[in-house]
Amino acid sequence: MAEKQTDLSPVKKRLRPEKDGEGKAGSLLATAQLNKVLRESAREKIVFVHGKMGKDADNEGKDAVIILEKTPFKESTLSELLNNHTELRLQMQNDIYSTYHLYPPPHLSEPL
């Protein structure tokens, strides 16, 4: 009996049509002018930034606090995250341990 081969190539994603209110955050962030990092926590994977967003009649941005937070890992994707489709870049190595930056495939970097 012949074995069936499975196609393991990445699935191409389709752009979904934009609904009212969706997709505007990207254009809003494109106008952001960052002034100062207010708080940063590597442990909590969050940063608070003061900046100016958008434009008003005087071509000035409005004051804003932008909060950027990394979403948690999903247990269901951990094994895929650690396989050979993930890019690792060595940051530091000594005789005891090494540190890498991990760059997952785009489909594993999406929001929940």
Side-chain angles (χ1 to χ4, degrees):
M1 177 158 61
E3 289 185 27
K4 183 179 176 183
Q5 290 189 341
T6 337
D7 182 15
L8 298 176
S9 60
V11 177
K12 296 209 178 205
K13 298 203 173 214
R14 293 179 291 148
L15 223 86
R16 65 180 177 176
E18 201 175 278
K19 297 177 186 171
D20 283 344
E22 283 187 7
K24 295 182 181 173
S27 60
L28 182 63
L29 288 175
T31 67
Q33 298 172 334
L34 306 181
N35 293 342
K36 177 181 174 182
V37 174
L38 301 172
R39 180 174 173 258
E40 180 180 14
S41 172
R43 171 178 229 117
E44 296 170 351
K45 295 176 179 57
I46 193 167
V47 63
F48 295 82
V49 181
H50 172 249
K52 301 254 183 201
M53 303 274 297
K55 302 281 182 188
D56 60 16
D58 299 328
N59 210 23
E60 289 285 323
K62 296 180 182 178
D63 276 324
V65 174
I66 304 164
I67 303 169
L68 302 171
E69 180 178 10
K70 194 238 176 261
T71 56
F73 293 105
K74 293 188 274 184
E75 189 174 341
S76 61
T77 60
L78 282 177
S79 61
E80 188 176 359
L81 185 66
L82 298 174
N83 77 11
N84 59 358
H85 297 294
T86 298
E87 179 185 346
L88 284 177
R89 291 187 190 161
L90 180 65
Q91 295 302 305
M92 189 279 305
Q93 183 175 18
N94 63 28
D95 59 338
I96 300 172
Y97 62 91
S98 54
T99 304
Y100 295 85
H101 281 187
L102 182 140
Y103 298 92
H107 71 278
L108 294 177
S109 298
E110 293 181 0
L112 299 172

